[in-house]
């Protein structure tokens, strides 16, 4: 199953760290196509590119202005839309159905999500029915969809970590 992400309503100042963490987390979840709405944030995109320069380029991050148009296009292409919201159906009830799908677009919000998103989504899914964080919701859903495995970005990178019991060991791949 292939997954893409739509992150709604990024706010340049308030969400700068959280959105960065969401996008970087996508690198270990196998979600490489990312769309975001709200403020276009060149600094955020630059930071992501900087990390990917060292650790491998997997992400394709695009700022878009019309999320509903994207959703409609994706649906036409055969994608199933999975919106994460605390108001949705508990994920355990739907996870096996969603696992069988070929391509999904996962939607996460920040501030209030417009009601059209709930209507256009094929699944409105909750990770517990209390408010927490879009990052937590995304990671738990994706990790379950990946059968509790990481799907780490594994393209050629400049650096590689040699895991250590204690301390840090980072080597360059070109030396
Ligand atoms: N009122 C929001 C909601 O519908 O879930 C909570 C706002 S929260 C600050 C921002 C985003 O985190 C939401 O748009 C949703 O994608 C995600 N989120 C927060 N709690 C969640 C939960 N319990 N289950 C699924 N997603 C959640």
């Amino acid at each position: 199953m292939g997954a893409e992400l739509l992150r709604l309503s990024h706010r340049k100042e308030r969400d700068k760290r959280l959105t960065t963490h969401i996008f970087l987390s996508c690198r270990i979840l196998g979600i490489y196509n990312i769309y975001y709405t709200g403020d276009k944030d060149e600094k955020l995109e630059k930071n992501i590119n900087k990390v990917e320069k060292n650790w491998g380029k997997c992400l394709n991050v695009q700022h878009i202005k019309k999320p509903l148009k994207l959703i409609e296009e994706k649906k036409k292409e055969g994608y199933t839309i999975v919106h994460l919201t605390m108001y949705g159906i508990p994920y355990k009830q739907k996870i096996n159905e969603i696992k069988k799908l070929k391509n999904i677009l996962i939607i996460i919000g920040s501030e209030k999500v417009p009601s059209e998103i709930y209507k256009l989504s094929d699944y409105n899914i909750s990770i517990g029915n209390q408010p927490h964080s879009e990052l937590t919701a995304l990671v738990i859903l994706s990790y379950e969809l990946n059968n509790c495995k990481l799907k780490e970005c594994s393209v050629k990178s400049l650096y590689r970590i040699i895991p250590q019991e204690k301390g840090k060991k980072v080597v360059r791949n070109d030396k």
Side-chain angles (χ1 to χ4, degrees):
M1 194 212 52
E4 298 188 357
L5 177 70
L6 170 59
R7 196 281 193 267
L8 296 171
S9 310
H10 168 69
R11 296 158 296 185
K12 224 173 180 170
E13 264 323 298
R14 194 167 159 182
D15 296 327
K16 60 186 173 198
R17 284 175 63 81
L18 179 54
T19 304
T20 303
H21 293 168
I22 291 168
F23 292 0
L24 291 180
S25 299
C26 285
R27 289 172 43 85
I28 60 162
L29 299 170
I31 300 173
Y32 301 138
N33 274 341
I34 300 175
Y35 306 90
Y36 75 101
T37 69
D39 298 336
K40 173 153 175 66
D41 193 339
E42 260 130 38
K43 203 164 162 204
L44 163 83
E45 292 182 26
K46 228 180 184 170
N47 285 339
I48 298 294
N49 284 336
K50 209 163 131 193
V51 174
E52 291 219 295
K53 226 174 183 175
N54 290 334
W55 299 100
K57 170 93 187 117
C58 277
L59 300 183
N60 174 23
V61 175
Q62 281 181 62
H63 177 261
I64 58 157
K65 288 193 176 143
K66 297 183 175 164
L68 301 182
K69 188 168 166 241
L70 176 84
I71 293 169
E72 270 154 12
E73 281 168 7
K74 288 288 170 190
K75 285 180 102 158
K76 276 189 201 142
E77 285 172 33
Y79 281 68
T80 302
I81 313 300
V82 180
H83 170 221
L84 284 166
T85 168
M86 66 178 180
Y87 303 107
I89 303 297
Y91 76 102
K92 289 281 183 198
Q93 291 180 30
K94 298 287 181 185
I95 197 85
N96 288 333
E97 243 176 77
I98 298 173
K99 267 186 196 174
K100 289 184 194 141
L101 300 168
K102 194 156 176 256
N103 289 310
I104 64 169
L105 177 71
I106 301 173
I107 303 178
I108 50 172
S110 57
E111 55 191 11
K112 194 173 183 291
V113 173
S115 62
E116 290 97 321
I117 299 285
Y118 291 79
K119 287 181 201 142
L120 277 176
S121 295
D122 300 292
Y123 292 91
N124 287 290
I125 295 294
S126 62
I127 311 291
N129 293 109
Q130 291 178 11
H132 45 81
S133 150
E134 47 272 47
L135 176 57
T136 308
L138 174 69
V139 170
I140 291 178
L141 179 81
S142 309
Y143 195 60
E144 282 272 344
L145 289 175
N146 295 342
N147 296 316
C148 301
K149 290 193 183 101
L150 297 184
K151 279 193 180 172
E152 243 175 336
C153 170
S154 60
V155 301
K156 201 166 174 265
S157 60
L158 190 55
Y159 294 105
R160 173 167 47 100
I161 289 173
I162 314 288
Q164 303 293 299
E165 291 283 356
K166 289 178 188 177
K168 307 172 187 174
K169 189 167 180 183
V170 183
V171 294
R172 277 186 74 120
N173 282 325
D174 57 353
K175 288 201 174 149

